[in-house]
Each structure stands twice: as structure tokens, then as C-alpha cells.
Amino acid sequence: MIVEIGHFALVLSLSVALFQSVLPMVGARKGDQRLMETGTIAATGAFVLIGIAFAALVTANVTSDFSVLNVFENSNSAKPMLYKVTGVWGNHEGSMLLWVLILAFFGSLVALFGRDLPATLKANVLAVQAWILTAFLLFILLTSNPFQRLDPAPMEGQDLNPILQDIGLAIHPPLLYLGYVGFSIAFSFAIAALIDGRIDAAWARWVRPWTLLAWIFLTLGISMGSYWAYYELGWGGWWFWDPVENASFMPWLAGTALLHSALVMEKRSALKIWTILLAILTFSLSLLGTFLVRSGVLTSVHAFATDPTRGVFILAILCIFIGGALVLFALRASSLEGGGLFAPISREGALVFNNLFLTTATATVLVGTLYPLVLEVLTGEKISVGEPFFNLTFGPVMVPLLFAVPFGPLLGWKRGDLLGAAQRLYFAAGCALAALVGILAYTGGTKVLAAFGFALAFWLLAGSLTDLFSRAAFLRTGWRTGLSRLIGLPRSAFGTALAHFGVGVTLLGIVSVSSFEKEVITTMAPGASADIAGYTLTFDRVEQRPGPNFEAQTGTFSVRQGGGELARIETSKRFFPVRQMTTTESGIWTHGFSQLYVSLGDPSPDNRSIVVRIWWKPLITLIWIGTVFMAVGGAFSLADRRLRVGAPVRSRRKAALAGT
């Protein structure tokens, strides 16, 4: 009965979404306030109904109701309770239900917190949001129904894909979807502005918090996915340029450009047309990522194996929304005001420079991701585009951008002083030079690129904090007054500094592990030892351990240095009998910001020894720590009293004066 209630709620939510997609827009055209208000009611109602449907699917999984096809294919009575819950979105149908739940959630947030938006703009935004919701609800109900029944009901389920039975994959998809789907709000605002034919600085002020919120979640989602792949798959890498990884990275790059472009539009009423286009392209790339993951055109550990019918349906959604949005943009762009002018050397100019390189970087990733697919369709030839291509195209594009990052906050609006900004960056330049000389001396001049990478990272780290110290004026006013001035700075200033600092931290981790990683691949029997990076790893024993729904072959290693034991590492191979699959659980010992990483391979033919892969990864945790700095920086900016979710609320006094 609960399953039927969930199915009925999902169908009913489609009806509500259809009303929401039409009535508010009709009301906006006619100036009918009551019709426009239906958008608020419908958006809230759709979220509640989809929430009921999602809760029903969770209940079916928790109670192991194998009469539901989705539960039968992705669960098992022996599966731990945590993964019974998180397994709801560990498959195509359940993850799509989570997708539309988050989509409806963002729509309801606009309905509830958009009280200060102009009535027509709010009505149009909610209607556009409902168009997207309607399309994906139709997709779920027609091709991916999570409530489909089996008769007769099986006694046992087929279990969840073993590599998804991990806490990292429990957290990664919701964060990623909050980012993906969150950009739909910027898209809806852009389409609503094009429909109205009017866009101004207030529009940017309304749209920027939503974009920032989505960007924060997408940053954390990508980071969590990277770390999961690093420790769960046993391959020792943190990024593979996998097409599905790229599918989430592209909207992140475009979203970063959108944030900076919206800032220029808000502050100087410039880049209006470009900001609208970026809002469309960012969500379009999110839709493209959804298509790549669910169409069956890719083979990836991240992708869902689906039938071509679903791929065609999503492709149709992709064409309608992206094509329709770009056609509308082409028709309306010429009628929109271009915005204010500014000197090339200014903060606006720096942000345009930022946008130029970010969009170019996005284009290189897009070409590298889609080219093999297009070539296969046109010629039938299969090729792969991997790390060498992206390193040679993406890297050189990002270097000038990263070098320019510290200059941006130090330049004035409309017209800046490049020489003055450079003078304030002397300390950052000194740090970069010291890092360059230090690495060259440490490596004997054999790793020039690594030295320049470290120099760029330290340039970013020191340069990102320069603006805060310059505005606090410690040297001119003294530490006490400077500290008071520092505390009084807007939260957005701290947010910018933290986000840029996080980029430097991540770059430092990337350069370090790429340049100084060590690897040993050897065959070891219990009692054998291997040396790596000044540590001695001793294979103590191997034993069989039962799990709730798997059997584990666990190896225990001792880490020693100078004769003393520092730590013990356990790594295992897990066999899941229901799925007949084996997974690798890597063993990791974290020392400072570095890690010793151990992974078990295949046993020897005589079963007396086993292949062991050992890595020493210096400063690798900085890669993910840096992303946390970025997200915290975004949260600081979002918490700025001048940047609210929606337009600033007028004070009661001002409202009273306006009414007299």
C-alpha cells in the first residue's frame, strides 16, 4: 500500500507541475496577482508530493519489499541498514527520483524565500522551473518507474552494486545533485529575464546567491567523489579524466565563471548578456552530464547501465531545453542593454580575464569528452582521450588564470592601478621565488616544472591573503587597529580570500603528489618487507573475515621507520556472493598531509604470496582540504548580510516611509 501511495503521489506531482508551468506565466502576462501566486502554492505542493514518493521508496528499501522491481534489483536482506537507505539513490530509478526531489526542493525555496522578487519575475522563474520538473517527471513515469511491481514477489534481492556500498557513495550523489540541480535556478532566472526582455543589476543580486549555493554543493560533491574513487577502487589515483568526472567538472568551471560574471553585473551593471548566456550554458552542461551518465553511451564506474530508450528521452529533453534556451537568447539578446563600460585594467577587466580562461578551459574539457563519442557515431572508430590530452590543453590554459587570481581583488572597480597591485604582492612574489629556489635545490634542478608548480601554489596562497592584510592596514595602523579593521571586513572579503586560498592548497597537493609520488609493486608473503620513501612495510598476516554480506581476505601490514613501529595498515579484497563481484578496500595511513597507500592484488598461482601495490603520496590530502577551503569560502560569502537568497528585505521603517 505504501508503494502505491508513493506512485500516486508521483503522478499527482506531475499534475501539479503542469499547473505550475502554465498558470503563473499566464498570470504574469495578464498582470493577474492570483494566478501568479499559484506558482508559490504549486511549487510547495510538488515538493511535498515528491517527498512522499521518495519516502515511500525509502520505506520499501528499508523493509526489503522485493515485490518492488527496484528493490529486488538493488537490495538484499543481508545488506547493512545504512546501505539499504543510501542504496535508494545507488541506481538509476532511485537517483532520478532524488534528482527531481532536489529540483522541487529548489523550486519551493524560491517560492518561500522569493517574497521580495518582482511578482512577474518570480512567476516566470517558478514556471520555467516547473517546465524542467515536468520533463523529468515524465521521464521517470514513462521510462524509469521506481515503483514497478513484481508478481510473484521474489524471496531475496540481487543486492546493491558492491562498489556503491560505501559511505563515500552515500554522500557523493546528494551533494552532486544539489550542485547540478541548483544551477537550474540560475537557468530559470535567465529564461525568465529573456521572456520579460529586461535585466538589471538587481537580477544579478537575486541570482548570485542561488548560483553560489549550487557551486558550494557541486564543489563538495566532486571532491567527495574524487576521494571515494581514490580509496575505494584501489587504483591509487585521485582523478582519471573519466568522461563522467568531466561531466561534473564542466558545470563547475562554467558555474565559477558565472559567479564572477554575476559579480561584475551586480556591481557595475556590465556583462549582462554574457551573464545570461553563462547561466544557460552552466545548467546545459549539467543536463549534458545527466545524459552522459544515463544514456548508456559511456562505460564508467560512475555511469548507470541503461537502455537506449532512456537515452533518447533524455536527449530529447536536452535538445528542447538547451536548444530552446539558446534560440530564445538569440532572439532577445539584441534587445537587451549591453551594460556599463570599464577600463581593461580594472577589477571588471580581471573578472573578464577570469571568464575568458574559465570558458576556454571548459571548452577543452568538453571537446576531449565528446570527441570520441562523435567520432564513433560518424566513423564507427573507437578512440580514447585521456590524461595526456587534458594535461597538454587544460593545464596551459589554467596557468595564466591562476597567476592572475591574486591581482583581481587588489584592483579598483572601473579603473585599477596594476603597478600598485603588483607592489602589494611583493611578499607573495617572495614566497613564490623561495619555493622555486627551494624545490630546484632539493631536486638538484631535475624537476623544473615541479618547481614552477610549487611557486605558483605559494603565489596563490600568499596572494589570496594579501587583500585582507592590505585592507586591514597592519603596517600603517598597528596590529591592534589592524586586527579591528580585519574583523570588521565584510564576510564576502573573507569568502573570496578563503576560496582563492583553497585553490592554492589544492594546487599544492596536486603538484606535490604528481611530482614526488613513489610506487612499489611487489609480490609479498607473510613476513616479507618492502621499503618506500624511508619507511619499511612488513606483511604481518592475511586472514579471512566474514562481513554482513561479503567475505573479506584481509592483509595486515606494519609500518616501521628506524626500527620502531609507527602504524598498522589493513587492506582487503571483498567477495560479494550475491553479485559474484570482488572489490578492493585500500589501506591508508595518513601522516601529516601525506599518505602511505596499500592495495592488495591477485594471489600467486601457488597461493603462498600476493601482489601488493604500495604508494607514498606526499601532501595528497591537501587536494581535498583545498576544496573544503573553497566551499567554506563560498559559505562565508553566502552569509554576507549584503548577499541574501533573494533581494534584500527592506527595513520596516523604510517600508513605512515608502507607504506614506
Side-chain angles (χ1 to χ4, degrees), residues 87-360:
V88 172
W89 54 81
N91 59 87
H92 169 73
E93 293 82 3
S95 65
M96 284 309 303
L97 187 57
L98 177 64
W99 207 96
V100 297
L101 177 66
I102 294 173
L103 185 65
F105 171 68
F106 275 103
S108 67
L109 286 181
V110 173
L112 295 174
F113 293 99
R115 292 185 298 271
D116 299 291
L117 291 170
T120 55
L121 178 62
K122 180 181 176 182
N124 286 331
V125 167
L126 290 176
V128 174
Q129 196 74 3
W131 297 349
I132 305 169
L133 183 62
T134 299
F136 280 96
L137 284 172
L138 280 171
F139 172 73
I140 291 175
L141 290 170
L142 296 179
T143 71
S144 310
N145 183 7
F147 299 108
Q148 185 176 340
R149 289 281 197 179
L150 288 173
D151 188 22
M155 294 296 294
E156 192 54 87
Q158 296 179 341
D159 206 1
L160 181 67
N161 187 336
I163 66 171
L164 302 182
Q165 296 186 39
D166 181 83
I167 188 63
L169 256 289
I171 301 171
H172 166 60
L175 288 175
L176 203 63
Y177 292 171
L178 284 166
Y180 266 165
V181 180
F183 285 127
S184 67
I185 300 296
F187 176 86
S188 296
F189 267 93
I191 299 302
L194 290 173
I195 292 172
D196 279 344
R198 184 178 59 194
I199 180 172
D200 53 22
W203 180 91
R205 187 164 56 251
W206 288 316
V207 79
R208 200 158 68 90
W210 299 104
T211 305
L212 185 56
L213 187 64
W215 182 87
I216 291 169
F217 282 121
L218 188 57
T219 301
L220 294 174
I222 293 173
S223 178
M224 186 70 253
S226 168
Y227 192 65
W228 166 80
Y230 166 73
Y231 74 76
E232 176 66 19
L233 301 182
W235 64 303
W238 59 274
W239 191 262
F240 190 63
W241 292 109
D242 179 282
V244 180
E245 289 177 325
N246 296 346
S248 61
F249 191 43
M250 288 185 290
W252 186 87
L253 290 169
T256 305
L258 174 59
L259 277 176
H260 291 85
S261 178
L263 178 62
V264 175
M265 184 176 166
E266 179 186 345
K267 298 292 185 181
R268 304 299 304 170
S269 294
L271 302 183
K272 294 180 179 179
I273 297 174
W274 174 244
T275 305
I276 288 283
L277 180 60
L278 271 180
I280 293 171
L281 293 179
T282 301
F283 184 61
S284 297
L285 290 170
S286 296
L287 290 178
L288 177 64
T290 302
F291 168 73
L292 291 175
V293 173
R294 301 171 190 284
S295 62
V297 301
L298 294 177
T299 301
S300 167
V301 295
H302 306 76
F304 294 98
T306 57
D307 59 76
T309 305
R310 293 171 176 171
V312 171
F313 201 115
I314 294 183
L315 184 61
I317 294 174
L318 202 69
C319 293
I320 291 170
F321 282 99
I322 298 177
L326 292 177
V327 168
L328 180 61
F329 175 80
L331 294 174
R332 289 285 198 177
S334 59
S335 64
L336 298 175
E337 295 181 5
L341 300 177
F342 51 86
I345 304 300
S346 62
R347 189 173 300 189
E348 296 96 326
L351 293 171
V352 170
F353 183 87
N354 160 290
N355 270 226
L356 174 65
F357 280 88
L358 280 174
T359 51
T360 303

